Amino acid sequence: MDSLGTVGTLRVGLIVAFTLLGLFFSFVSMTGVLRLPDVYSRAHTASQADTLGAGFGLAAVALAVGWEGAGFKSVLLLFFIFVTNPTAAHAIARAAFEEGIVPWTEGDDRR
Amino acid sequence: MWWVTDATVAAEAGGSDETGSEPQSAVVVPVEPSPTLRATVSHVVEAAVDGEFSAIHFVEIASWRDGDPGSDDRTAEARRVLERVVAWAEADLDDADGDAGDGVTVVSALIGAEGYLFGPEDYVEVLAGYAEEHGADAVVLDPEYTPVGNTTLLQPLEFALSNTSLDVRTAPVGRPTRPERLRSEATGVRFAAMFGLSLAFYFVLGDPLYWFDWATGVATAAIVSITLSRISFDADPAVPRTPLRLVRGAIYVPVLLYEILVANLVVARVILDPRLPIDPTMNRVRVIVGSGLPLMTLANSITLTPGTLTVRARDSDLYVHSLLPWAREGLFDGSLERWTRFVYYGRSAARPPTPRERDDYAILQGPDATEELPIAAGDGGAVPDGRDDDATDVAEEEVTDA
């Protein structure tokens, strides 16, 4: 540890924290996909894995590799995820809607 | 009324008598700078000279709304286009044999700037209203007329027009042989912007100091901008507007990230704690942002925020599925709508009444529903996923209320 210095320690700490946060949100997302009742509510939680799960994961990568090629690319990746993720979630929900799938509501027997 | 007839550019070609009043029919021609606009004007004038129409109304349908920042420039630009079209028409009438063109009236108007127009239906409504007001019973379309930007997902205007009583046809004209004056410079700007953007991105991935990357980068950027510059831009990037939007967008990103983080934590809590119930409903919100890029930004921001999911965009109506009442209330409070307006129109436009204050919202499901769910019926009762053991035996009698 002492070979890292304060900044280095902070950086490692942040990397670990971001990785754990990314894991946490991916786990929440997975739980949501298993627990929630229908395609619409699952689409909500599935996109969580993309935004914050992958978001924190890529932030950890960017910190780990530093401000150079790969780190910069991971920021770009993050940007593309933020553009494509809602588009994909919207496409799935819209397809379901046009198929005539009525969203589950409280009191609905479907589960 | 939501149209403004511009009497100052109305002109009676040839100046004089009322002899040409025999056919008494008027035609409406929606115009926009396009490669085939000149030929379309010629075609319509020819038809009028042949006695088919006695009045030609050239209308430009505003895709913006009066009062938005930048609308004055766009209005001025539209007026220039209309003036040019009228000048063309008059020149064609003068060229016509004898006095055949004398009885033809040429009028121009800018219509529809009172509100945002979203889809073909909105354009058709404005167009049909104008036609009715001026006793026109026919519409001639420029084959390259694309009022809704390049939004290919929308039904074509022609199809929407066929539901009206108007006689619709498309001018039988091809691409012009001489270079088009109206659009060439515009396309140049878009091309340059697309080219610069692609090249910059290429060098982020490659090495700007290596000559080979320059060769491949320029070739790639050229291909990308040739194929996509007309698709990626609805309007030209303009100097004060585009950088301003980028700066305001950069302000918006942290705000959006914060909203996403908060919403994520709320939704995570509900998912992880079995005692907290979910209460999903479908909702409708009518938003007041322009069509195209602003609408896409807003819809995607709503979807990015966990707990709300944009399902359909039907003109200015967004159908949004919400997971929790908390997310639904946030949606009706319209903070993302305000931010989107801030990004695209500036601070002065960022304080409209919320959807709740405007009464532009509805819950479509559950005990609080105020409107019916506009769903395409179908087999609405299909079990979404048969993974749960008890899911398979309940699919019998539900959802007859769809």
Side-chain angles (χ1 to χ4, degrees):
Chain A
M1 263 302 181
D2 16 284
S3 64
L4 285 167
T6 326
V7 177
T9 317
L10 194 67
R11 185 166 147 190
V12 170
L14 271 179
I15 293 171
V16 171
F18 280 176
T19 312
L20 288 178
L21 275 173
L23 276 174
F24 170 74
F25 282 110
S26 302
F27 174 77
V28 169
S29 170
M30 179 204 72
T31 316
V33 170
L34 292 177
R35 272 198 66 203
L36 292 174
D38 71 344
V39 60
Y40 300 100
S41 42
R42 284 174 178 173
H44 283 283
T45 184
S47 62
Q48 274 187 296
D50 282 350
T51 47
L52 287 194
F56 279 117
L58 284 170
V61 169
L63 266 181
V65 296
W67 193 247
E68 48 175 285
F72 206 68
K73 281 175 198 167
S74 60
V75 174
L76 277 179
L77 265 178
L78 199 58
F79 172 75
F80 284 121
I81 284 178
F82 270 74
V83 174
T84 51
N85 159 36
T87 313
H90 167 70
I92 291 171
R94 180 178 165 152
F97 194 71
E98 289 188 353
E99 277 294 298
I101 297 175
V102 175
W104 183 93
T105 50
E106 214 178 350
D108 196 329
D109 281 341
R110 287 180 290 162
R111 215 356 293 244
Chain B
M1 289 297 119
W2 22 256
W3 54 80
V4 195
T5 306
D6 190 356
T8 57
V9 286
E12 182 116 359
S16 56
D17 54 352
E18 270 81 44
T19 49
S21 57
E22 200 49 51
Q24 243 357 325
S25 86
V27 60
V28 178
V29 186
V31 296
E32 220 212 14
S34 89
T36 47
L37 179 58
R38 181 69 188 93
T40 303
V41 171
S42 296
H43 168 78
V44 176
V45 169
E46 221 169 275
V49 167
D50 287 348
E52 240 182 290
F53 312 115
S54 61
I56 307 173
H57 294 259
F58 292 109
V59 297
E60 176 131 356
I61 305 177
S63 59
W64 60 92
R65 198 177 71 152
D66 273 346
D68 275 347
S71 64
D72 290 348
D73 290 350
R74 302 184 68 174
T75 304
E77 175 67 33
R79 293 241 181 264
R80 273 199 291 281
V81 173
L82 285 173
E83 274 169 38
R84 170 164 280 175
V85 165
V86 169
W88 282 338
E90 284 171 358
D92 284 349
L93 283 171
D94 287 343
D95 289 348
D97 293 337
D99 53 3
D102 282 0
V104 180
T105 316
V106 178
V107 180
S108 73
L110 177 63
I111 62 178
E114 282 277 308
Y116 292 116
L117 304 177
F118 284 87
E121 288 88 359
D122 291 354
Y123 280 83
V124 166
E125 196 184 314
V126 170
L127 207 57
Y130 179 86
E132 197 184 338
E133 176 93 342
H134 293 82
D137 51 12
V139 172
V140 173
L141 289 175
D142 176 353
E144 300 270 321
Y145 182 68
T146 48
V148 213
N150 292 299
T151 322
T152 49
L153 291 178
L154 297 172
Q155 297 169 295
L157 184 72
E158 238 177 309
F159 178 74
L161 267 170
S162 67
N163 292 327
T164 67
S165 60
L166 293 164
D167 170 30
V168 183
R169 66 176 176 196
T170 306
V173 294
R175 313 273 304 189
T177 46
R178 62 182 175 140
E180 169 52 38
R181 273 173 292 172
L182 276 172
R183 197 160 229 182
S184 55
E185 54 199 358
T187 324
V189 177
R190 288 172 210 193
F191 185 89
M194 197 74 211
F195 188 87
L197 215 60
S198 323
L199 196 63
F201 178 64
Y202 197 86
F203 282 136
V204 167
L205 302 180
D207 178 7
L209 301 177
Y210 179 36
W211 67 269
F212 186 73
D213 277 8
W214 270 96
T216 50
V218 167
T220 312
I223 292 170
V224 168
S225 32
I226 287 168
T227 49
L228 294 182
S229 64
R230 303 189 121 223
I231 296 169
S232 301
F233 293 101
D234 269 357
D236 283 348
V239 168
R241 194 187 61 204
T242 309
L244 269 179
R245 282 184 175 179
L246 287 176
V247 168
R248 292 193 296 245
I251 299 172
Y252 174 51
V253 167
V255 175
L256 182 63
L257 284 178
Y258 174 76
E259 296 261 334
I260 289 174
L261 190 66
V262 170
N264 249 304
L265 289 173
V266 172
V267 171
R269 174 123 204 269
V270 172
I271 287 173
L272 293 181
D273 190 340
R275 288 162 304 178
L276 294 177
I278 60 166
D279 181 13
T281 55
M282 191 69 89
N283 315 284
R284 180 184 65 79
V285 190
R286 171 159 296 181
V287 295
I288 45 167
V289 297
S291 63
L293 209 53
L295 187 67
M296 190 211 77
T297 307
L298 177 57
N300 272 4
S301 301
I302 288 173
T303 306
L304 265 176
T305 321
T308 49
L309 172 68
T310 311
V311 174
R312 279 301 309 256
R314 201 169 277 166
D315 292 348
S316 55
D317 279 329
L318 290 182
Y319 289 87
V320 180
H321 187 259
S322 67
L323 198 57
L324 308 165
W326 173 81
R328 186 171 69 211
E329 298 308 309
L331 176 73
F332 295 157
D333 286 336
S335 89
L336 288 177
E337 183 188 37
R338 288 183 168 183
W339 276 102
T340 308
R341 284 186 66 82
F342 167 74
V343 170
Y344 285 95
Y345 310 116
R347 192 142 45 127
S348 58
R351 286 248 152 240
T354 65
R356 196 195 303 282
E357 287 160 4
R358 300 195 307 262
D359 207 25
D360 272 349
Y361 71 101
I363 301 173
L364 307 179
Q365 281 187 306
D368 301 325
T370 50
E371 262 178 41
E372 259 183 60
L373 191 66
I375 201 157
D379 63 337
V383 174
D385 193 333
R387 204 181 312 162
D388 298 332
D389 281 336
D390 57 346
T392 41
D393 54 25
V394 291
E396 289 311 314
E397 42 75 57
E398 80 240 354
V399 202
T400 40
D401 56 325

